[in-house]
Amino acid sequence: MTAECLVCKTPVEPFLDFGQMPSANAYLTADEFANEYSFNLAVGFCEECLMVQLIDTNSATNMFHQDYAFYSSTSKHMQQHFADFAKTIQRDYLTDKDSFVVEIGSNDGIMLKNFAIEGISHLGVEPSHNVAQVAIAQNMDVLVDFFYQATAEKIIAERGKADVICAANVIGHISDIHSVLSGVSCLLKPKGVFIFEHPYLIDNLTKTAYDQIYDEHIFYYSVHSVKNLFKVHGLELIDLSHQNVHGGSMRYVLAHEGELTATETVMQQLSFEVEVGIDQLKTYQQFAQNVARSKQELLNLVRELKSQGKRIVGYGATAKSSTVINYCGLTPDDIDYIVDNTPAKQNKYTPGAHIPIKAPEEFYADYPDYAILFAWNHANEIMAKEQEFVQNDGQWISFVPQVKICLENICLV
Ligand code: SAH
Ligand code: TMP
Ligand code: ZN
């Protein structure tokens, strides 16, 4: 299957095809199994604008709606990350007492609340009603809508232009990216900045983190593809910094072309990306081979443990786990259940494989022999609080960056 690049319309071929996959955050009840949505999950590399992207996409309204399953504040580590992020934005860019900040994809207010507490004029734009409502209930200003060009015009008419627009883990989720960025460009004051974070493509590649590939993740950004994409909208990359969240993310700072001075870091990272072959198709073909090997290793390990009669559960019903479970063909015979602290996911089933999701109490009541750490990006937080599992001879299994049983309480990344 060939597609048109969503950025520059050049034909793009998949370098990795997972076959038919469900929507990753669509946890379901047993009566919904028969009508489950699926699509062809495949990813390609545009040799023209260097954007790595999905070949086929799910629709925005199918993914983001009144029952969106992901609540950002389920991780304490992420709460701290966003408190620090907001503080940095305030210190560097919200220096005027009348400053106005807009956040795209504000979810349950994990970032926004830090501005609200400081009395900073703010607006979140969040289409998923249930998560937006959590922030609204705490008196944050949230527009329950998708952010596109028309939304930006509406905000300008009602509130004026923004000093800062920020976004985390959402700028890769929107297929009509040009409408979003033309909206950002017109909503931003002349000296304003757009700051966004997203899992970094090089981390995905080097850690063989293929589980980052699922329907919500339409674009997989590198500094190169960000630079090329934003240039179309008169926005220039002026700074970046690597972040130790979601398995390795990049924070990008953009400004209207010629308005602010770019740091050395941008050029340095562009050179580094060329060194590691970010602009070469063969880099992605090698990744696809690593993914196939990782699948085989995980399957071998699970089959071996099951043949010894071991009990295995999953930890963290992450969207990411949908790709691993369904691509590897793991079933409820392999994984008894997945433990997750999100009430909206508990007592439902995972998409595709239909593995039951249970509250942590189930895990505490009768520890299994092994737990596959599907929320590997939260390893430190989870392992710190689940020490009793290890004291009861439980062992963690990780698959990023390598498939392995963790002999120590520390796995990885
Ligand atoms: N920023 C949060 C949430 C990331 S999940 C965090 O980093 O934890 C992505 C969020 O973006 C979801 O809450 C989803 O509803 C929202 N979203 C999806 N498309 C959007 C759009 N076009 N405009 C604004 N928000 C969007
Ligand atoms: P994420 O990797 O997309 O952030 O999703 C993390 C999932 O793991 C989310 O469903 C919440 C869950 N989780 C737990 O169950 N316990 C925890 O301690 C943490 C940090 C997350
Ligand atoms: Zn392209």
Side-chain angles (χ1 to χ4, degrees), residues 332-353:
D333 291 336
D334 302 308
I335 300 173
D336 292 10
Y337 63 86
I338 302 184
V339 51
D340 196 286
N341 65 0
T342 313
K345 295 183 184 179
Q346 292 161 3
N347 302 317
K348 291 198 170 176
Y349 295 86
T350 63

Side-chain angles (χ1 to χ4, degrees), residues 27 51 82 102 184 193 224 246 268 310 339 368 376 384 397:
Y27 306 92
M51 185 66 84
F82 283 111
V102 172
V184 164
V193 290
H224 275 84
H246 288 302
Q268 285 162 359
K310 303 293 186 193
V339 51
W376 53 267
I397 293 173

Side-chain angles (χ1 to χ4, degrees), residues 371-389:
I372 304 180
L373 191 55
F374 288 122
W376 53 267
N377 46 313
H378 301 294
N380 291 343
E381 179 172 349
I382 291 171
M383 288 183 176
K385 80 173 165 199
E386 302 299 0
Q387 298 197 19
E388 221 180 282
F389 167 55

Side-chain angles (χ1 to χ4, degrees), residues 64 68 72 82 104-105 107 125-128 146-147 168-170 174:
F64 309 113
Y68 185 55
S72 300
F82 283 111
I104 301 173
N107 198 276
V125 183
E126 172 51 64
S128 298
F146 288 92
F147 184 93
N169 308 303
V170 58
I174 310 165

Side-chain angles (χ1 to χ4, degrees), residues 189-392:
K189 284 184 185 167
K191 298 274 181 206
V193 290
F194 176 50
I195 309 181
F196 80 101
E197 280 185 11
H198 213 71
Y200 186 39
L201 178 60
I202 291 189
D203 285 297
N204 293 348
L205 297 176
T206 53
K207 292 173 185 164
T208 318
Y210 68 90
D211 57 344
Q212 291 283 9
I213 301 167
Y214 57 90
D215 58 344
E216 284 180 24
H217 290 177
I218 295 169
F219 298 111
Y220 300 81
Y221 291 114
S222 63
V223 180
H224 275 84
S225 60
V226 165
K227 185 171 175 272
N228 293 339
L229 167 62
F230 281 76
K231 194 173 168 40
V232 178
H233 298 277
L235 294 165
E236 186 184 5
L237 185 57
I238 59 159
D239 202 6
L240 38 86
S241 58
H242 192 263
Q243 304 293 318
N244 192 20
V245 291
H246 288 302
S249 287
M250 192 62 89
R251 181 179 297 169
Y252 303 92
V253 184
L254 296 114
H256 287 292
E257 233 159 41
E259 291 289 349
L260 300 174
T261 313
T263 62
E264 287 277 305
T265 325
V266 176
M267 284 309 292
Q268 285 162 359
Q269 197 66 20
L270 284 166
S271 306
F272 172 70
E273 287 191 348
V274 172
E275 271 169 43
V276 299
I278 208 80
D279 53 347
Q280 305 287 320
L281 180 60
K282 65 174 193 284
T283 303
Y284 303 98
Q285 290 164 336
Q286 178 61 53
F287 172 70
Q289 283 180 22
N290 297 345
V291 171
R293 195 187 58 231
S294 174
K295 167 183 176 171
Q296 205 47 57
E297 288 176 5
L298 183 60
L299 269 179
N300 291 348
L301 176 60
V302 168
R303 296 280 134 83
E304 167 65 22
L305 296 175
K306 290 313 283 182
S307 75
Q308 296 169 14
K310 303 293 186 193
R311 210 152 57 84
I312 307 175
V313 307
Y315 200 111
T318 57
K320 295 187 289 293
S321 70
S322 169
T323 300
V324 179
I325 292 168
N326 293 305
Y327 171 60
C328 293
L330 297 171
T331 72
D333 291 336
D334 302 308
I335 300 173
D336 292 10
Y337 63 86
I338 302 184
V339 51
D340 196 286
N341 65 0
T342 313
K345 295 183 184 179
Q346 292 161 3
N347 302 317
K348 291 198 170 176
Y349 295 86
T350 63
H354 303 156
I355 297 171
I357 302 169
K358 301 289 181 193
E361 289 66 34
E362 185 109 355
F363 183 63
Y364 302 144
D366 185 11
Y367 285 120
D369 300 302
Y370 292 90
I372 304 180
L373 191 55
F374 288 122
W376 53 267
N377 46 313
H378 301 294
N380 291 343
E381 179 172 349
I382 291 171
M383 288 183 176
K385 80 173 165 199
E386 302 299 0
Q387 298 197 19
E388 221 180 282
F389 167 55
V390 178
Q391 284 152 13
N392 280 274

